[in-house]
Amino acid sequence: MVSASDAASRGIAKLQEAANVLTSSLQAFTKAPSGEQAPSKQELQTLVEGLKLEASKIGLMWGNNTPTHAETESLLAGLEQRHSQLLTLLCRAGFSAGPTLLKSLQSAASPVTAACIHLLNCISSDKHGEVAVPTGKVWAACDAAGSTALDNRTAIGRKLLHISRSVKDNIREVQEVISESRSQTSEQQPANDFEQGSDVDLDFQTEPLRPCEVHTAEAALSLIQAVLEILKLLVRVILTEQDLSGETVIDDWESLLFHAKSLADVSNDLAAALFAPQDTDEVVSAADSLQTGCELVLDEVPDRLRTPHTDLFESLAHRVSCAHNSILNELSVDMTTLSL
């Protein structure tokens, strides 16, 4: 009779085989077969809950006692089947997928497979009393997979929203620096903290900006806010795409997403350069890069997407240019003041 350990080892091999099939399939698929429909969120949720149930059965049975051979075979077969069905569904979602969606699908599948293998490893190594935690990890991985994107629009749209939140954080930070610099009074910390043996306050406060630095920060804030508006417009525009499965359409949006990521990185650089004491070269470099990045994004928008929102795109381009010029003007005034 086959032991539970041997059965679990065979199960692990099957899980890994299913994962390998998914990986190779996602790399190979470019077009859905005729009649193949994209999976729905409801299908995904049904399979996720089914896999969680199978993992719970294993956790319950091995947590309390040692199942019979027949029970072992049945429980492991149930887990393998649900795991295979879930990966097959993710594979179906990979038809005509762009790089962003493919990465999202793989990121959803890998933790599920790893968690299931970890659970079976506990059985294979006779650690029956320790199945509760691995079972919980299967649940966590399934819950994460249940919220994964199943189409290009959702995958790219979520990335754009994530980037927007990052830029919004930059805006909040700059606003706080400006506000604190306007209201902060000069407070000297005792010079003899170490001599008195008192605890040193590690909650450092940022140095307040000089008045001319505040003006530079305000001008830079306008540029970063314009970046956020560009990202918000891209999110709005992607929702109007009728079909986001053609190769050309996917390439357009993948390119926009690439440049949008660069905008977030440079926005962060500009925000960091605005803390006191400001370095003129750093501020100018970041501001120039951000303006260039905005121009690249706006130029990458294809005509089919630009035409319905022509006024908005032109307005944002003008806003970026004005904000950039304002930063340079403020820095010029600052340098003139310092030289007097």
Side-chain angles (χ1 to χ4, degrees):
M1 183 178 295
V2 179
S3 67
S5 177
D6 292 336
S9 297
R10 285 206 319 270
I12 291 172
K14 291 180 181 179
L15 293 176
Q16 191 59 61
E17 180 183 2
N20 292 337
V21 169
L22 172 69
T23 299
S24 59
S25 297
L26 290 179
Q27 293 173 348
F29 291 149
T30 57
K31 185 177 180 181
S34 177
E36 181 70 44
Q37 292 186 346
S40 67
K41 272 292 183 183
Q42 185 165 356
E43 287 180 87
L44 176 60
Q45 287 299 324
T46 298
L47 292 180
V48 161
E49 293 301 322
L51 182 54
K52 288 167 63 177
L53 177 61
E54 295 302 325
S56 297
K57 290 178 182 177
I58 291 176
L60 181 64
M61 291 295 289
W62 264 276
N64 295 329
N65 47 47
T66 301
T68 64
H69 171 70
E71 290 172 334
T72 297
E73 293 290 343
S74 176
L75 290 169
L76 296 185
L79 184 76
E80 294 160 12
Q81 182 182 31
R82 288 297 188 180
H83 172 267
S84 178
Q85 289 173 340
L86 176 58
L87 265 58
T88 299
L89 180 141
L90 295 176
C91 188
R92 285 170 52 205
F95 291 129
S96 302
T100 300
L101 177 56
L102 289 175
K103 185 176 181 180
S104 175
L105 294 171
Q106 191 65 61
S107 297
S110 295
V112 173
T113 299
C116 289
I117 289 176
H118 182 42
L119 176 60
L120 296 193
N121 271 328
C122 285
I123 297 172
S124 177
S125 57
D126 294 326
K127 296 179 180 179
H128 298 177
E130 302 176 12
V131 294
V133 172
T135 300
K137 290 183 177 180
V138 173
W139 272 58
C142 285
D143 287 339
S147 62
T148 193
L150 295 177
D151 57 77
N152 291 296
R153 185 200 315 276
T154 304
I156 294 175
R158 286 181 180 177
K159 289 294 184 181
L160 288 172
L161 287 174
H162 178 74
I163 294 169
S164 298
R165 284 193 291 269
S166 174
V167 173
K168 188 176 291 186
D169 287 340
N170 293 147
I171 291 173
R172 177 183 52 77
E173 291 173 359
V174 176
Q175 288 173 331
E176 289 176 357
V177 170
I178 293 172
S179 176
E180 291 173 2
S181 296
R182 288 192 177 282
S183 61
Q184 188 172 355
T185 58
S186 178
E187 296 181 359
Q188 298 294 330
Q189 294 292 331
N192 60 347
D193 274 347
F194 287 99
E195 296 174 6
Q196 296 174 350
S198 60
D199 292 334
V200 179
D201 183 7
L202 296 180
D203 186 16
F204 298 110
Q205 291 187 337
T206 58
E207 180 182 341
L209 301 174
R210 293 180 293 110
C212 40
E213 289 179 328
V214 170
H215 295 154
T216 299
E218 289 174 334
L221 177 62
S222 296
L223 180 55
I224 301 175
Q225 288 172 329
V227 170
L228 179 60
E229 292 304 316
I230 291 174
L231 294 173
K232 289 165 68 175
L233 180 56
L234 290 179
V235 172
R236 188 191 313 176
V237 170
I238 198 173
L239 296 176
T240 66
E241 280 279 46
Q242 297 299 319
D243 181 20
L244 219 162
S245 59
E247 183 176 352
T248 300
V249 176
I250 293 175
D251 287 345
D252 287 341
W253 279 107
E254 291 290 349
S255 177
L256 285 170
L257 179 60
F258 173 80
H259 290 300
K261 291 176 181 176
S262 296
L263 282 185
D265 292 337
V266 182
S267 293
N268 188 61
D269 292 340
L270 179 56
L274 297 175
F275 286 86
Q278 292 177 0
D279 183 291
T280 300
D281 291 339
E282 288 184 7
V283 175
V284 170
S285 176
D288 288 347
S289 297
L290 194 53
Q291 182 200 29
T292 301
C294 290
E295 291 174 347
L296 284 172
V297 170
L298 295 174
D299 290 343
E300 283 288 320
V301 178
D303 290 340
R304 73 174 189 281
L305 302 176
R306 181 189 299 276
T307 301
H309 309 280
T310 300
D311 292 343
L312 280 174
F313 280 109
E314 291 180 352
S315 174
L316 285 172
H318 178 69
R319 182 174 169 181
V320 167
S321 178
C322 289
H324 178 258
N325 289 334
S326 180
I327 294 172
L328 299 183
N329 290 338
E330 292 297 341
L331 288 172
S332 177
V333 171
D334 188 15
M335 293 299 294
T336 302
T337 303
L338 290 175
S339 65
L340 294 178

